[in-house]
Amino acid sequence: MKKPRNTIAKRKILELINESPSAVSSQDIHAGVGTVCDRATVYRVLGRLVDEGEVHKIIDLDGVIRYAPCDQCDDHHHHHDHIHFSCEKCNALTCLEEVVPEFTLPKNYKAHSVNFTVSGICEKCA
Amino acid sequence: MKKPRNTIAKRKILELINESPSAVSSQDIHAGVGTVCDRATVYRVLGRLVDEGEVHKIIDLDGVIRYAPCDQCDDHHHHHDHIHFSCEKCNALTCLEEVVPEFTLPKNYKAHSVNFTVSGICEKCA
DNA sequence: GTAACTGCAAAATATTTGCATCCTT
DNA sequence: AAGGATGCAAATATTTTGCAGTTAC
C-alpha cells in the first residue's frame, strides 16, 4: 500500500466534501476546486480518498457517482448500511445515518455490503 | 404520448432481457442483438421499454445501468421496492422480489421510490 | 399515408492513462 | 533523494443526436 501524502489538492477536495450539506459529484468538485487542480487530479484524488476510507462513494439513482464524508466511520468500523436520501425537488443526496433498514436474505445468500437509496421529498422541501 | 410499435429490434431486446437469469447492461444487449440493430437503437429501445413499463432500470453498485424484466408489475402497480442482489463472484445482478426491507424515515421526509442493492455471494456461488 | 423507428456518422460526456515534471516527506 | 502527486494531452468509453431513409400499422 502506498503512503498517502497531504497535498493541496487533497485538502481542498476533502474540504469541499466535508462542507457540503449533501453528497457531491466529481463535476461539483471540479467546479469547486477552481484552478487548484486539474480534472484528472480530481479523479485520482477521489479514488485515493475512497481507498483511504476518508470519504464514501454513493451511486445516485441516475447512476451518477457522488462522494460524502465518512463521518461515522473510524479505521476499524465502516458503517455504510444506512439510507441515502435523494430529494426530487432540491436534488440533494444526503446520508440518513440513523436509518438502517432491516431485511432477511433467502437461504445461502451472504451479504457483504449494502447500498440503499430512497428518493422522495426531503424535510427542507416538504 | 407516442404509440409504441412492435419492431424487430424491440422484440429481440425484450427477449434477451426476459431470457437472462440476471439483469443485463446495454453492452450485453448490444452484443446479444448481433446485427439485428444498431448501438444507437439499443439505447433508444431501452429508453422506450422503461417508459412503457416493460422493463425496469437498475443501477449496479459500480454505477453500471442494467435492465431486468418487470415481472411482478402490471399497468397500475409497479413493485420496485425489493432488493437487487449483486454477486461478487459471478457478477450477476438479480432481483430478489420477495425481500422487501423495512425502514422508517425521519419526520417530514416522504419516500416515493427506493433502490436497494446488496452485494455479497449468491446461492449459486455459496 | 403517416408517424414511429432505424442506421450511420458525428457530437457530447465522462473517465482513464502515459509521461515528463513537480512537490512532500 | 525518493517516490508520491500533478498537469497536460491523448486515448477510451459511454450515451446522445441530427438527419435522411425505412417500416409498422
Side-chain angles (χ1 to χ4, degrees), chain A residues 5 7 9 37-38 41 44 48:
Chain A
R5 283 182 186 175
T7 64
C37 75
D38 188 68
T41 300
R44 286 188 275 224
R48 270 179 268 142

Side-chain angles (χ1 to χ4, degrees), chain A residues 32-88:
Chain A
V33 291
T35 59
V36 171
C37 75
D38 188 68
R39 214 182 242 94
T41 300
V42 170
Y43 286 113
R44 286 188 275 224
V45 171
L46 286 172
R48 270 179 268 142
L49 287 175
V50 171
D51 288 345
E52 293 164 17
E54 300 248 35
V55 303
H56 68 261
K57 192 177 178 176
I58 307 171
I59 311 290
D60 206 346
L61 284 178
D62 45 3
V64 176
I65 297 169
R66 296 180 181 239
Y67 300 87
C70 250
D71 278 338
Q72 324 241 321
C73 307
D74 59 39
D75 291 338
H76 304 294
H77 297 89
H78 280 247
H79 304 288
H80 288 173
D81 50 359
H82 57 269
I83 276 187
H84 301 140
F85 193 88
S86 173
C87 181
E88 290 162 358

Side-chain angles (χ1 to χ4, degrees), chain A:
Chain A
M1 184 104 144
K2 287 186 178 180
K3 202 173 187 179
R5 283 182 186 175
N6 188 15
T7 64
I8 303 171
K10 189 174 174 180
R11 282 197 300 275
K12 180 67 181 174
I13 290 173
L14 206 43
E15 184 191 312
L16 285 170
I17 295 173
N18 284 326
E19 289 185 351
S20 169
S22 61
V24 291
S25 66
S26 58
Q27 322 296 323
D28 297 332
I29 292 168
H30 180 242
V33 291
T35 59
V36 171
C37 75
D38 188 68
R39 214 182 242 94
T41 300
V42 170
Y43 286 113
R44 286 188 275 224
V45 171
L46 286 172
R48 270 179 268 142
L49 287 175
V50 171
D51 288 345
E52 293 164 17
E54 300 248 35
V55 303
H56 68 261
K57 192 177 178 176
I58 307 171
I59 311 290
D60 206 346
L61 284 178
D62 45 3
V64 176
I65 297 169
R66 296 180 181 239
Y67 300 87
C70 250
D71 278 338
Q72 324 241 321
C73 307
D74 59 39
D75 291 338
H76 304 294
H77 297 89
H78 280 247
H79 304 288
H80 288 173
D81 50 359
H82 57 269
I83 276 187
H84 301 140
F85 193 88
S86 173
C87 181
E88 290 162 358
K89 216 171 192 175
C90 68
N91 221 12
L93 182 67
T94 47
C95 292
L96 299 182
E97 311 267 5
E98 70 279 16
V99 182
V100 178
E102 309 241 330
F103 63 95
T104 310
L105 289 177
K107 220 179 136 184
N108 290 327
Y109 279 86
K110 226 167 248 160
H112 289 166
S113 67
V114 303
N115 201 300
F116 291 153
T117 307
V118 176
S119 76
I121 304 297
C122 76
E123 57 177 351
K124 283 168 199 151
C125 297

